[in-house]
Amino acid sequence: MRHFCQPGTTLIWANKTRFDSDLVFVENFTKTFNTALLADNGEVRIYSATVREESELVMVKERKGEDENEAKQEIPEGRVKRSTGEQVQEYEDKDEQRKPGDGDVDNREESLHLEDVNDIKEEEEEEEDDTNLETEESGDEESDGSTSVQQNSEEASAEKKHTRAWAPTVYYRPQKEVYHFLGQDITIEESIDSYGGTIWPAALALCRLLDTPTGRQQINLLDKSTLELGAGTGLLSIVATLLGAKLTATDLPEILGNLRCNLNRNTRGQWRHEPRVTALEWGGALEHTFPRSTHRYDYVLAADLVYHHDYLTELLDTMRHFCGPNTTLIFANKVRYQADLLFIANFQEAFHTSLMTELDEVRIYSATRRI
């Protein structure tokens, strides 16, 4: 902030206070800049600020020293010293009652501070709730392998009742996952998105297969034109690129930033062919945006894409579109709901399929399009 705010620059800063450290930052911010509060909706405060001159900063430091010395002075018995920001109020009795609604600035500032503390407590409680929820979900995933057909049916029914529109919002999360494939560490940055920002079992299973001599013999990606559908965080695309594929990784526009970053970070300087990243929404006017005459692929990779059951028709149409007469589709999937079984049935009607292997409840198919 200091670096980019030269004389004549206006800084507009919007902030929601969540933790005690935020309050310390606000205090330092007001000491560094000449600030004015533009708006306060009860949660977010918006400031306008300009950089202080050196002489002003010296005065602020001197005033801070005076305030600290004054605070050390003995306080008369039964009286307290009230402080608001940089202003120090006069001594007053602890028992003194202030009249409600008297418009006192000190009361208003104290009220805002209490609201900040309450916000902090609410945020901490929400984080605890989220942690408990994640623990419960983790337990559900571990027991997924022994789920009966009846339970699957109940889950499918519950999912139908709670269907939500899929419009992922991706935020950066400073959390890294490190995987070891093809003799090297692959570092993946995940993002906070229910689906596209997380690595799922089918991608890991397919990477494990490609990490074996048998798997590379079955799926020979060297110098092959390869398309990945729903690339997500990019782990499978990274492995394919390191195996020498001419790779194009696709996903929704919201996912591409993190995908491109992971792909470049783990393959730059090692690729045989520079990978491409492009937006692709399933279904729609694919012949217009990706005409078959110019988009021909030797391999199409698809791992753990059967999540959004409102889009299964579009997914199958997209698979058909990109699979020409000489294209091999590698499809890895973990069955979770009854609707997944219906998609598999439709998939096998549209393609000649063979089950290559099953790893950790993930089935990996090789398929070619029916004429």
Coordinates of all heavy atoms in Angstrom, one line a residue, residues 19-66:
F19 N -10.9 -10.9 13.0 CA -10.0 -11.4 14.0 C -9.4 -10.2 14.8 O -9.4 -9.1 14.2 CB -8.9 -12.3 13.5 CG -9.5 -13.5 12.7 CD1 -9.4 -13.5 11.3 CD2 -10.0 -14.5 13.4 CE1 -9.9 -14.5 10.6 CE2 -10.5 -15.6 12.6 CZ -10.5 -15.6 11.3
D20 N -8.8 -10.4 15.9 CA -8.2 -9.4 16.7 C -7.0 -8.7 15.9 O -6.8 -7.5 15.9 CB -7.6 -9.9 18.0 CG -8.7 -10.2 19.0 OD1 -9.8 -9.5 19.0 OD2 -8.6 -11.1 19.8
S21 N -6.3 -9.6 15.1 CA -5.2 -9.0 14.3 C -5.7 -8.0 13.3 O -5.0 -7.1 12.9 CB -4.5 -10.2 13.6 OG -5.4 -10.9 12.8
D22 N -7.0 -8.2 12.8 CA -7.5 -7.2 11.9 C -7.6 -5.8 12.5 O -7.4 -4.8 11.9 CB -8.9 -7.6 11.4 CG -8.9 -8.9 10.7 OD1 -7.8 -9.5 10.5 OD2 -10.0 -9.4 10.3
L23 N -8.0 -5.8 13.8 CA -8.1 -4.5 14.5 C -6.7 -3.8 14.6 O -6.6 -2.6 14.5 CB -8.7 -4.7 15.9 CG -10.1 -5.3 15.9 CD1 -10.5 -5.6 17.4 CD2 -11.1 -4.4 15.3
V24 N -5.7 -4.6 14.8 CA -4.3 -4.1 14.9 C -3.9 -3.5 13.5 O -3.3 -2.4 13.5 CB -3.3 -5.2 15.3 CG1 -1.9 -4.7 15.3 CG2 -3.7 -5.7 16.7
F25 N -4.3 -4.2 12.5 CA -4.0 -3.7 11.1 C -4.7 -2.4 10.9 O -4.1 -1.5 10.3 CB -4.3 -4.8 10.1 CG -4.0 -4.3 8.7 CD1 -2.7 -4.6 8.2 CD2 -4.9 -3.6 7.9 CE1 -2.4 -4.1 6.9 CE2 -4.6 -3.2 6.6 CZ -3.3 -3.4 6.1
V26 N -5.9 -2.3 11.2 CA -6.7 -1.1 11.0 C -6.0 0.1 11.8 O -5.9 1.2 11.2 CB -8.1 -1.2 11.5 CG1 -8.9 0.1 11.4 CG2 -8.9 -2.2 10.6
E27 N -5.6 -0.2 13.0 CA -4.9 0.9 13.7 C -3.6 1.3 13.1 O -3.4 2.5 12.9 CB -4.6 0.3 15.1 CG -3.9 1.4 16.0 CD -3.6 0.8 17.4 OE1 -3.9 -0.4 17.7 OE2 -3.0 1.6 18.2
N28 N -2.8 0.4 12.6 CA -1.6 0.7 11.9 C -1.9 1.4 10.5 O -1.1 2.3 10.1 CB -0.8 -0.5 11.6 CG -0.2 -1.1 12.9 OD1 0.0 -0.4 13.8 ND2 0.0 -2.4 12.8
F29 N -3.0 1.0 9.9 CA -3.4 1.7 8.6 C -3.7 3.1 8.9 O -3.3 4.0 8.1 CB -4.6 0.9 8.1 CG -5.2 1.5 6.9 CD1 -4.7 1.4 5.6 CD2 -6.4 2.3 7.0 CE1 -5.2 2.0 4.5 CE2 -7.0 2.8 5.9 CZ -6.4 2.7 4.7
T30 N -4.5 3.4 9.9 CA -4.9 4.8 10.2 C -3.7 5.7 10.6 O -3.7 6.9 10.5 CB -6.0 4.9 11.3 OG1 -5.5 4.2 12.4 CG2 -7.2 4.2 10.8
K31 N -2.6 5.0 11.2 CA -1.4 5.8 11.5 C -0.5 6.1 10.3 O 0.2 7.0 10.3 CB -0.6 5.0 12.6 CG -1.3 4.9 13.9 CD -0.5 4.0 14.9 CE -1.2 3.9 16.2 NZ -0.5 3.0 17.2
T32 N -0.6 5.2 9.3 CA 0.2 5.4 8.1 C -0.4 6.3 7.1 O 0.3 7.0 6.4 CB 0.4 4.0 7.5 OG1 1.0 3.1 8.5 CG2 1.4 4.0 6.3
F33 N -1.7 6.3 7.0 CA -2.4 7.1 6.0 C -3.4 8.1 6.7 O -3.9 7.9 7.8 CB -3.3 6.2 5.1 CG -2.4 5.3 4.3 CD1 -2.1 4.0 4.7 CD2 -2.0 5.7 3.0 CE1 -1.3 3.1 4.0 CE2 -1.2 4.8 2.2 CZ -0.9 3.5 2.7
N34 N -3.7 9.2 5.9 CA -4.8 10.1 6.3 C -6.0 9.4 5.8 O -6.2 9.2 4.6 CB -4.6 11.5 5.6 CG -3.4 12.2 6.2 OD1 -3.3 12.4 7.4 ND2 -2.5 12.7 5.3
T35 N -6.9 9.0 6.7 CA -8.0 8.2 6.3 C -9.4 8.9 6.6 O -9.5 9.7 7.5 CB -8.0 6.9 7.1 OG1 -8.2 7.1 8.5 CG2 -6.8 6.1 6.9
A36 N -10.4 8.5 5.8 CA -11.7 9.0 6.0 C -12.7 7.8 5.8 O -12.5 7.0 4.8 CB -12.1 10.1 5.0
L37 N -13.6 7.6 6.7 CA -14.6 6.5 6.5 C -15.7 6.9 5.6 O -16.5 7.8 5.8 CB -15.2 6.1 7.9 CG -16.1 4.9 7.9 CD1 -15.4 3.6 7.5 CD2 -16.7 4.8 9.3
L38 N -15.7 6.2 4.4 CA -16.7 6.5 3.4 C -18.1 5.9 3.7 O -19.1 6.5 3.4 CB -16.2 6.1 2.0 CG -14.9 6.8 1.5 CD1 -14.6 6.2 0.1 CD2 -15.1 8.3 1.4
A39 N -18.0 4.7 4.1 CA -19.3 3.9 4.4 C -19.1 2.8 5.4 O -18.0 2.3 5.5 CB -19.8 3.3 3.0
D40 N -20.2 2.5 6.1 CA -20.1 1.4 7.1 C -21.5 0.8 7.1 O -22.5 1.4 7.6 CB -19.7 2.0 8.4 CG -19.6 0.9 9.5 OD1 -19.9 -0.3 9.2 OD2 -19.3 1.2 10.6
N41 N -21.6 -0.5 6.6 CA -22.9 -1.1 6.5 C -23.1 -2.1 7.7 O -24.0 -2.9 7.7 CB -23.1 -1.9 5.2 CG -22.2 -3.1 5.1 OD1 -21.4 -3.4 6.0 ND2 -22.3 -3.8 4.0
G42 N -22.3 -1.9 8.7 CA -22.4 -2.8 9.9 C -21.4 -4.0 9.8 O -21.1 -4.5 10.9
E43 N -21.0 -4.4 8.6 CA -20.0 -5.5 8.5 C -18.8 -5.0 7.8 O -17.7 -5.3 8.2 CB -20.6 -6.6 7.7 CG -21.7 -7.4 8.5 CD -22.1 -8.6 7.8 OE1 -21.8 -8.8 6.6 OE2 -22.8 -9.5 8.4
V44 N -19.0 -4.3 6.7 CA -17.8 -3.9 5.9 C -17.7 -2.4 6.0 O -18.6 -1.6 5.8 CB -18.0 -4.3 4.4 CG1 -16.9 -3.7 3.5 CG2 -18.1 -5.8 4.3
R45 N -16.4 -1.9 6.3 CA -16.1 -0.5 6.3 C -15.3 -0.1 5.1 O -14.3 -0.9 4.7 CB -15.4 -0.1 7.6 CG -16.3 -0.4 8.8 CD -15.5 -0.1 10.1 NE -16.2 -0.4 11.3 CZ -15.8 -0.2 12.5 NH1 -14.6 0.2 12.7 NH2 -16.5 -0.5 13.6
I46 N -15.6 1.0 4.4 CA -14.9 1.4 3.3 C -14.2 2.7 3.6 O -14.9 3.7 4.0 CB -15.9 1.6 2.1 CG1 -16.6 0.3 1.8 CG2 -15.1 2.0 0.8 CD1 -17.6 0.4 0.7
Y47 N -12.9 2.7 3.4 CA -12.1 3.9 3.7 C -11.5 4.5 2.4 O -11.2 3.9 1.4 CB -10.9 3.5 4.6 CG -11.3 2.9 5.9 CD1 -11.5 1.6 6.1 CD2 -11.4 3.7 7.1 CE1 -11.8 1.0 7.3 CE2 -11.7 3.2 8.3 CZ -11.9 1.8 8.4 OH -12.2 1.3 9.6
S48 N -11.4 5.9 2.5 CA -10.6 6.6 1.5 C -9.3 7.1 2.2 O -9.4 7.6 3.4 CB -11.4 7.8 1.0 OG -10.6 8.6 0.1
A49 N -8.2 6.9 1.6 CA -6.9 7.3 2.3 C -5.9 7.9 1.3 O -5.9 7.6 0.1 CB -6.3 6.0 3.0
T50 N -5.1 8.7 1.9 CA -3.9 9.3 1.2 C -2.7 9.1 2.0 O -2.8 9.1 3.3 CB -4.1 10.8 0.8 OG1 -4.4 11.5 2.0 CG2 -5.3 10.9 -0.2
V51 N -1.5 9.1 1.4 CA -0.3 8.8 2.2 C 0.0 10.0 3.0 O -0.2 11.2 2.6 CB 0.8 8.4 1.2 CG1 1.2 9.6 0.3 CG2 2.0 7.9 2.0
R52 N 0.6 9.8 4.2 CA 1.0 10.9 5.1 C 2.4 11.4 4.6 O 3.2 10.6 4.2 CB 1.1 10.5 6.5 CG -0.3 10.2 7.2 CD 0.0 9.8 8.6 NE -1.3 9.3 9.3 CZ -2.1 10.2 9.9 NH1 -1.8 11.5 10.0 NH2 -3.2 9.7 10.5
E53 N 2.7 12.6 4.8 CA 4.0 13.2 4.6 C 4.9 12.7 5.7 O 4.4 12.3 6.8 CB 4.0 14.7 4.6 CG 3.2 15.3 3.4 CD 3.7 14.9 2.1 OE1 4.9 14.7 2.0 OE2 3.0 15.0 1.1
E54 N 6.2 12.7 5.5 CA 7.2 12.2 6.5 C 7.0 13.0 7.9 O 7.0 12.4 8.9 CB 8.6 12.4 6.0 CG 9.0 11.4 4.9 CD 8.9 10.0 5.4 OE1 9.2 9.7 6.6 OE2 8.6 9.1 4.6
S55 N 6.8 14.3 7.8 CA 6.6 15.1 9.0 C 5.4 14.7 9.8 O 5.4 14.6 11.0 CB 6.5 16.6 8.6 OG 5.4 16.8 7.7
E56 N 4.3 14.3 9.1 CA 3.1 13.8 9.7 C 3.3 12.5 10.5 O 2.9 12.3 11.6 CB 2.0 13.6 8.7 CG 1.5 14.9 8.2 CD 0.3 14.7 7.2 OE1 0.6 14.2 6.1 OE2 -0.8 15.0 7.5
L57 N 4.1 11.6 9.8 CA 4.4 10.3 10.5 C 5.2 10.5 11.7 O 5.0 9.8 12.7 CB 5.2 9.4 9.5 CG 4.4 8.9 8.3 CD1 5.4 8.2 7.3 CD2 3.3 8.0 8.7
V58 N 6.2 11.5 11.7 CA 6.9 11.8 12.9 C 6.0 12.3 14.0 O 6.1 11.8 15.2 CB 8.0 12.8 12.6 CG1 8.7 13.3 13.9 CG2 9.1 12.2 11.7
M59 N 5.1 13.1 13.7 CA 4.1 13.7 14.7 C 3.3 12.5 15.3 O 3.0 12.5 16.5 CB 3.2 14.7 14.1 CG 4.0 16.0 13.7 SD 2.9 17.2 12.9 CE 1.7 17.5 14.2
V60 N 2.9 11.6 14.4 CA 2.1 10.5 14.9 C 2.9 9.6 15.9 O 2.4 9.2 17.0 CB 1.6 9.6 13.8 CG1 1.0 8.3 14.3 CG2 0.6 10.4 12.9
K61 N 4.2 9.4 15.6 CA 5.0 8.6 16.5 C 5.2 9.3 17.8 O 5.2 8.7 18.9 CB 6.3 8.3 15.8 CG 6.2 7.3 14.7 CD 7.6 7.1 14.0 CE 7.5 6.2 12.8 NZ 8.8 6.0 12.2
E62 N 5.4 10.6 17.8 CA 5.6 11.4 19.0 C 4.3 11.4 19.8 O 4.4 11.2 21.1 CB 6.0 12.9 18.6 CG 7.4 13.0 18.0 CD 7.7 14.4 17.6 OE1 6.7 15.2 17.6 OE2 8.8 14.7 17.3
R63 N 3.2 11.5 19.2 CA 1.9 11.5 19.9 C 1.7 10.2 20.5 O 1.2 10.1 21.7 CB 0.8 11.9 19.0 CG -0.6 12.0 19.7 CD -1.6 12.6 18.8 NE -1.8 11.8 17.6 CZ -2.4 12.2 16.5 NH1 -2.9 13.4 16.4 NH2 -2.6 11.4 15.5
K64 N 2.1 9.1 19.9 CA 1.9 7.8 20.4 C 2.8 7.6 21.7 O 2.3 7.1 22.7 CB 2.4 6.7 19.4 CG 2.3 5.3 19.9 CD 2.7 4.3 18.9 CE 2.7 2.9 19.4 NZ 3.2 1.9 18.4
G65 N 4.0 8.2 21.7 CA 4.9 8.1 22.8 C 4.3 8.9 24.0 O 4.3 8.5 25.2
E66 N 3.7 10.1 23.7 CA 3.0 10.8 24.8 C 1.8 10.1 25.4 O 1.6 10.1 26.6 CB 2.5 12.2 24.2 CG 3.7 13.1 23.8 CD 3.2 14.3 23.1 OE1 1.9 14.5 22.9 OE2 4.0 15.2 22.8

